[in-house]
Amino acid sequence: MATIEHSEIINAPPADVFELLRRVEDFADYSDLIRSIDALGNDHYRWHVRAVGMDWDFEVAVTEITPPHVLAWESLSGVKNQGRYHLREVPEGTEVSLTLSYDIRNRLMEKAVNKAAKPLVGKVSRQILERVEARLNG
C-alpha cells in the first residue's frame, strides 16, 4: 500500500476542529474535487470525487472516533484505502495530521494514480483544512 501524509496547523482548539471534521458529509463543501458525499447511516458514506480526469465513487466506513483526537476510516468499495486524522493541541491551536494509505491492483491505473496521488491528496487536504479553519474563524 502506498501512504501519503500531510499536516497543517489550524488556529482553533482541537475540539472545535474535530467537530467540523466529524461531519464527513460536509467535506464536499471543503474541496473542489469532492462532488458530493451521501450519508448512508451507521457512519457509512458514499463519496463522489472527480480527480485525474476520472469520476470515482466509493463507500467509506468510519472505523474510529475518539474526540477530539482521532477520526479514522476505511473504504468498503472502490479504491482500497484507509485514512486517519490525528489532532494534537499545539501553542498555535491544533496540528491536524492526515495519513492516507491506498492500494490499486491495476498496474496501468496504479502508475497514473501514484504520479498524481501525492499532490492531489495534498491539495484536497489543504483545501479541507483551510476551509475548516476559515469556517471556525469566519
Side-chain angles (χ1 to χ4, degrees):
M1 279 192 130
T3 299
I4 299 170
E5 296 178 337
H6 175 254
S7 67
E8 290 208 13
I9 294 176
I10 294 181
N11 184 13
D16 294 350
V17 176
F18 186 86
E19 183 58 34
L20 287 184
L21 291 177
R22 174 68 185 99
R23 296 185 207 152
V24 175
E25 61 274 13
D26 289 349
F27 277 39
D29 297 337
Y30 303 145
S31 175
D32 301 333
L33 299 175
I34 303 170
R35 293 213 164 161
S36 64
I37 299 173
D38 305 321
L40 304 175
N42 297 323
D43 285 321
H44 285 67
Y45 301 88
R46 177 162 305 285
W47 289 58
H48 306 278
V49 176
R50 175 82 178 161
V52 288
M54 298 174 61
D55 291 320
W56 305 79
D57 292 327
F58 50 93
E59 190 175 326
V60 169
V62 174
T63 57
E64 182 180 352
I65 303 168
T66 308
H69 302 290
V70 176
L71 178 66
W73 64 90
E74 68 180 357
S75 64
L76 302 176
S77 67
V79 174
K80 183 177 179 173
N81 71 88
Q82 57 190 26
R84 167 184 290 270
Y85 276 117
H86 183 262
L87 287 71
R88 183 174 69 89
E89 188 169 4
V90 294
E92 303 89 345
T94 304
E95 179 183 45
V96 181
S97 299
L98 167 67
T99 303
L100 178 70
S101 300
Y102 64 92
D103 186 23
I104 298 175
R105 309 249 168 167
N106 178 314
R107 285 187 182 263
L108 293 175
M109 188 177 291
E110 180 181 26
K111 283 187 176 187
V113 170
N114 285 345
K115 184 176 179 180
K118 189 169 185 172
L120 187 64
V121 169
K123 176 183 178 178
V124 170
S125 183
R126 272 190 307 282
Q127 281 184 347
I128 289 169
L129 297 178
E130 286 170 1
R131 292 176 186 178
V132 163
E133 184 173 33
R135 185 171 283 183
L136 288 168
N137 296 320

